[in-house]
Amino acid sequence: GKAKIGATEYEAIDTPGMYSFSSITEEEKVAREILIQENPYLVIHIVDAKNLERMLAFTLQLLEASLPTLLVLNMMDEAERSGVRIDILKLERELKIPVVGAVSTTGAGMSELKERIQKYRGKEHGYQIPIDGPIEAALSETEKLLNGEYAVSKRLIGLLVLEGDQEIIKSVGEKQPEVIERL
């Protein structure tokens, strides 16, 4: 669909629900393909605030992918009624991305969301998941070996290759078979 915020018109793509770049369902594979191939201006990751701990893992993967991400904590009213307290400003500082609390059914937070979309404009965040030891060494080597441009970070490509993701291995293998052999 299309959305207009101020004088700017945006194209919006609502992907099927996704919990990880390690796709399982066909819907997740479609969503992952969009994120990896389309080079989105901004990813608005909408999560259930009551289940933030479970949902945050994918947010971290989006950041690891170097995708410009804005996090929306939806259903804040239900989270608060359940006793869940979220320090949005602290979360924003830690993740280095905009975080907006919202209640989509009432429209709460929508003005702030629009404002943050305009201000953020897909800026880089610089977040990286801290990994040590042999995995970090393998990722560093992978990043050096991968040539060309990717819509997501070479680090994420490396993580998916090391994980054994057959679709990513095939994709990288078509471009650079020597990289797959090395890994």
Side-chain angles (χ1 to χ4, degrees):
K2 302 249 185 241
K4 191 169 186 176
I5 303 173
T8 307
E9 188 171 289
Y10 299 89
E11 177 185 14
I13 300 172
D14 183 10
T15 62
M18 191 172 164
Y19 298 99
S20 170
F21 269 105
S22 303
S23 303
I24 297 171
T25 68
E26 283 304 313
E27 291 84 7
E28 286 178 314
K29 288 179 183 179
V30 168
R32 181 175 90 159
E33 189 70 19
I34 290 169
L35 290 171
I36 289 177
Q37 300 297 329
E38 294 295 322
N39 196 18
Y41 164 78
L42 179 63
V43 175
I44 301 173
H45 187 211
I46 303 171
V47 302
D48 175 351
K50 295 186 316 289
N51 295 301
L52 181 59
E53 186 175 318
R54 188 182 67 148
M55 308 293 283
L56 207 50
F58 184 53
T59 306
L60 295 176
Q61 286 186 336
L62 289 167
L63 298 180
E64 186 69 44
S66 293
L67 290 166
T69 304
L70 187 152
L71 180 62
V72 177
L73 306 177
N74 195 25
M75 299 191 283
M76 286 294 290
D77 57 339
E78 291 182 28
E80 289 170 5
R81 277 196 300 273
S82 299
V84 175
R85 301 285 178 250
I86 301 169
D87 186 338
I88 291 175
L89 293 176
K90 183 175 182 182
L91 186 58
E92 194 168 89
R93 279 193 308 273
E94 292 293 323
L95 296 176
K96 302 177 183 151
I97 60 170
V99 178
V100 176
V103 181
S104 62
T105 55
T106 66
M110 294 302 116
S111 294
E112 181 184 356
L113 175 59
K114 290 176 186 177
E115 182 181 309
R116 299 302 289 276
I117 289 169
Q118 282 185 299
K119 283 184 181 177
Y120 188 49
R121 300 199 163 266
K123 295 177 184 166
E124 293 295 320
H125 47 72
Y127 186 88
Q128 185 172 314
I129 297 172
I131 301 173
D132 291 324
I135 293 174
E136 184 62 48
L139 289 175
S140 294
E141 183 67 20
T142 303
E143 288 179 273
K144 291 176 195 168
L145 293 171
L146 290 171
N147 295 321
E149 294 295 317
Y150 292 87
V152 295
S153 71
K154 291 178 181 178
R155 185 176 174 83
L156 178 69
I157 299 291
L159 279 169
L160 293 171
V161 167
L162 291 172
E163 189 178 279
D165 187 300
Q166 292 305 306
E167 290 177 28
I168 297 297
I169 290 171
K170 180 182 175 197
S171 175
V172 170
E174 289 170 357
K175 292 178 186 176
Q176 295 181 263
E178 72 282 359
V179 171
I180 299 303
E181 289 173 23
R182 278 283 301 267
L183 294 173

